[in-house]
Amino acid sequence: MSRNYKNKILVIFAHPALEKSRINVELCRAIKNLDGITFRDLYEIYPDFLIDVKEEQRLLLDHDIIVLQHPFYWYSCPAIIKEWIDLVLQYGFAYGHEGTALAGKHMMSAISVGASEDAYTENGVHYYHVREFLRPFERTAALCNMNYIPPFVVHHTSDLVTVEDISVFSDLYKKVLISLRDKDIDIKAMNEFKYINDYMLDQYESWSV
Ligand SMILES: Cc1cc2nc3c(=O)[nH]c(=O)nc-3n(C[C@H](O)[C@H](O)[C@H](O)COP(=O)(O)O)c2cc1C
């Protein structure tokens, strides 16, 4: 029997070398077959980078929450995610006077980051916090009149050695998506947290996921 979920989730995923991935491959495994979630691997679907803009826009219209999942590369995303943003979030569709197709929807980044959170501080090698580097995504959502949900972030990936280390995050990612799918989103409460990871841990006791 099909269920009516509160929110339909579209995961736009990209990893240019998935065969070498340790983290994203597990994050994907945990969520790609969940009911109410549409999973799209851009490098698999568009190996030649020829993105079907109309199809991607149709999918956007049909979902409530858009998740951009990828490894953090050069303080940003792999190239095909940028290509997808450039081509799919068209003027007159996503932004501009008559571009209201995405208004009221939500966007979230789900990223794996090589360095620790400490490295992303004023005293650390990367100086700025990850949230600062994600500003272009946050403002892209804002320009499309979407709400940017605090990102799901896996830090210090080289420190995650065993299957168990990684499954802590793939399990949490699964809980995040199920919670976003099934519950009303308390935007105000969430926006007080830098990462949705922290919000989940804060709420965990009261969330039966
Ligand atoms: C081309 C490239 C660029 C990267 N840029 C960054 C970066 O800017 N900041 C960072 O903390 N880690 C960076 N890393 C490390 C990756 O984020 C990390 O290896 C990845 O998230 C691990 O996930 P995976 O096992 O799914 O590949 C980079 C790695 C590569 C290959």
Side-chain angles (χ1 to χ4, degrees), residues 1 24 164 186:
M1 200 172 67
N24 280 277
E164 289 75 27
D186 188 347

Side-chain angles (χ1 to χ4, degrees), residues 54-188:
K54 285 284 162 246
E55 173 65 359
E56 296 300 317
Q57 290 179 344
R58 187 192 66 73
L59 284 163
L60 283 174
L61 290 173
D62 194 40
H63 292 80
D64 307 292
I65 300 176
I66 317 305
V67 176
L68 300 179
Q69 183 194 329
H70 55 87
F72 199 49
Y73 273 8
W74 290 108
Y75 305 114
S76 186
C77 59
I80 204 166
I81 295 258
K82 184 61 166 57
E83 181 82 349
W84 182 92
I85 291 171
D86 291 350
L87 298 183
V88 177
L89 303 186
Q90 261 172 346
Y91 177 80
F93 173 78
Y95 71 102
H97 187 55
E98 288 174 6
T100 55
L102 305 180
K105 296 181 188 285
H106 305 269
M107 184 185 280
M108 185 180 92
S109 299
I111 58 173
S112 58
V113 179
S116 67
E117 196 174 352
D118 280 350
Y120 283 91
T121 59
E122 243 179 88
N123 297 321
V125 64
H126 300 300
Y127 195 81
Y128 297 108
H129 194 267
V130 164
R131 283 299 299 258
E132 295 303 316
F133 290 109
L134 291 176
R135 288 275 187 223
F137 297 92
E138 190 171 336
R139 295 311 305 166
T140 296
L143 196 70
C144 299
N145 287 304
M146 301 172 84
N147 167 59
Y148 189 74
I149 298 171
F152 176 80
V153 181
V154 181
H155 265 292
H156 215 178
T157 52
S158 59
D159 238 26
L160 305 176
V161 179
T162 66
V163 175
E164 289 75 27
D165 292 339
I166 298 171
S167 71
V168 168
F169 289 94
S170 53
D171 288 350
L172 183 61
Y173 187 42
K174 183 175 174 182
K175 287 189 174 95
V176 164
L177 292 200
I178 289 174
S179 299
L180 291 172
R181 181 193 69 184
D182 293 348
K183 318 230 178 222
D184 282 325
I185 300 173
D186 188 347
I187 295 170
K188 251 189 169 170

